[in-house]
Structure formats: structure tokens, C-alpha cells
Amino acid sequence: MKAAILAGGPGSRLYPITYYVPKCMIPIAGRPFLDYVIEYLKKHRVEEIVLLLSRDDYEVFQNHYGNGEKLGVRMSYSVAPRIGTAGALYAARKEFNETFIVYYGDVLTDFNLTEMIRFHKRKHASCTVALTKSVPIDYGIGKMDAAGRLISFQEKPILEEYPVSMAIYLFEPEVLKYCKPNRDIASDVIPTLIEKKLPIYGYVTDRPHHDIGSFKHLDMVKEILSEKEKRGSSFRKARTSSR
């Protein structure tokens, strides 16, 4: 199975680090972050990778990964202007003629991707969205009665009835016709698919996910991966990040 890894974002929240190195190539525990993503995908027998990149960063990725041989995968590249996540898929649309994974390259997780693939096929889905029940919201929430009296309060709860997107999808090629330049997968494409009544499913896990989109989360991932490298085990369940 192929995976499209979105790795062409500017990483503006991590400036000035991203002035020198693309976000997904930031070294963590002695290796570029994207190495961990590729190893995770390979563990689930995803060995054909298409990196969706901007023109600004292409050479950095190509010089490091080449054809992917050193990580045991087949690597190819789709290079386009920054025209949104759906636009990046549109630019690479000729690469995908069967079920494929869309994976945001700044996300770390260890949930059972193989089982998600089986779920997608059992459901004959056009699109399956990976969702996690492990994300606490960043605020306390209250519930009031009609008079305004506070009758319950929870600090940073996990709202299991509203699982959070992990920015990992399974797509059938038919979805690509809804991917256009200057459109976003989460904001535009997924709602359109639901509106069109295509078979869209959510695969729910209680495993965490973490992204490196901010300095706070980058530091968290550095700690997780450093511990993982020392122990040789899956990362601990910790506070996850919403996107």
C-alpha cells in the first residue's frame, strides 16, 4: 500500500528552527523526525512512500532519503507550490490508483494502522478518518441550569463522545476528484464527502497521538522518543495534541 506523507508545510510556529531545517526533518534523538514516521508505516507493511513537498524544501528531503533504500522503502516525490493539503494531493493524483494512506508528516503515533486498514476494507469506505479518544481539551468546562447556577465543572476533560482527528486518513482514488488547489483536507474535503453522502467512516482508538507543530509539543515528542530509544518500547500514553 502507498502512503502520501504531507511534509511541505512552512512550520511557521517553529521559527527560527524551520528557517534552517524543514519541520519534519528536525533532529530528535539523533534522527530526523520523519524517520520515525516512515518506520511506523513500514511496521504496518506500508513500504511505498510519496512525499508531498514544497519547492523550498525538496532538496533537503531528496538528499537525505534518495529513493528510500536506506530505510527499506520505495520513496518518490511530488513537488508543488504550497496550495493547501488537498492541493498537494491534487498535484500528486496520478500516483494513486488504489487505496492509499494520507499521513501528516508531523504526527507521531503507535495505534494499530493495520487494523484501521482492515476496518476500511470491511466497510467498503471511500474515506476513513483516524480518531482518538485520548485528547483532553485545553480548558475547564462547566454546565449550568436555567438560572445560570453551575451544576458541574470539569478541568480539561476528555470528551469521548467527540473523538479527535489524528490527521491520518485512508482514501480511495475517487476522493481525489474533491481535492483541488487551495483547499484543505480537514476543512474542505472531509465535510464535502459527508455532504455528498459518500461512505465515510471513523476508526476510533484510545492510543495517543502527538504532533510537533509548536515548541511545547516538539519538546514533548523529544522526551517521548528519547525514552523510546532508550527502552526500545512504544511511547507512553501522555497528553495528546489536538490539531
Side-chain angles (χ1 to χ4, degrees), residues 116 119-120 123-131 198-203:
M116 179 180 170
F119 173 89
H120 176 86
K123 296 293 187 180
H124 302 286
S126 294
C127 166
T128 300
V129 181
L131 303 168
L198 272 70
I200 313 303
Y201 288 85
Y203 178 81

Side-chain angles (χ1 to χ4, degrees), residues 63-233:
N63 289 340
H64 180 75
Y65 290 113
N67 64 6
E69 183 178 4
K70 67 181 180 180
L71 286 182
V73 297
R74 296 185 298 279
M75 186 86 73
S76 60
Y77 303 86
S78 175
V79 182
R82 290 184 174 129
I83 49 177
T85 54
L89 280 177
Y90 174 82
R93 61 194 181 281
K94 293 181 181 178
E95 295 277 355
F96 308 105
N97 54 20
E98 57 186 22
T99 308
F100 66 100
I101 295 162
V102 178
Y103 195 112
Y104 282 55
D106 61 352
V107 171
L108 175 71
T109 188
D110 67 351
F111 84 100
N112 193 334
L113 180 62
T114 299
E115 182 52 40
M116 179 180 170
I117 294 169
R118 293 192 189 110
F119 173 89
H120 176 86
K121 292 181 177 179
R122 285 198 306 269
K123 296 293 187 180
H124 302 286
S126 294
C127 166
T128 300
V129 181
L131 303 168
T132 177
K133 296 189 293 184
S134 294
V135 178
I137 66 171
D138 283 337
Y139 307 97
I141 63 169
K143 185 175 183 181
M144 297 178 292
D145 64 17
R149 182 176 178 175
L150 197 63
I151 55 176
S152 70
F153 183 84
Q154 288 180 280
E155 176 64 11
K156 298 180 180 178
I158 293 174
L159 302 179
E160 292 196 6
E161 64 271 34
Y162 295 104
V164 171
S165 172
M166 302 171 79
I168 301 167
Y169 309 93
L170 281 164
F171 278 1
E172 294 301 319
E174 66 192 87
V175 173
L176 290 169
K177 68 183 179 182
Y178 299 97
C179 296
K180 303 294 183 183
N182 302 312
R183 287 170 64 85
D184 180 77
I185 293 170
S187 300
D188 301 309
V189 177
I190 302 301
T192 298
L193 298 178
I194 294 170
E195 181 183 337
K196 298 288 185 182
K197 299 189 184 304
L198 272 70
I200 313 303
Y201 288 85
Y203 178 81
V204 182
T205 176
D206 62 0
R207 295 301 300 159
H209 79 301
H210 307 265
D211 71 61
I212 57 168
S214 68
F215 284 106
K216 174 183 175 182
H217 294 129
L218 176 60
D219 288 344
M220 184 185 301
V221 169
K222 285 180 178 179
E223 180 183 348
I224 290 167
L225 288 178
S226 294
E227 286 189 9
K228 180 178 181 294
E229 290 293 293
K230 290 176 185 176
R231 299 179 182 181
S233 60

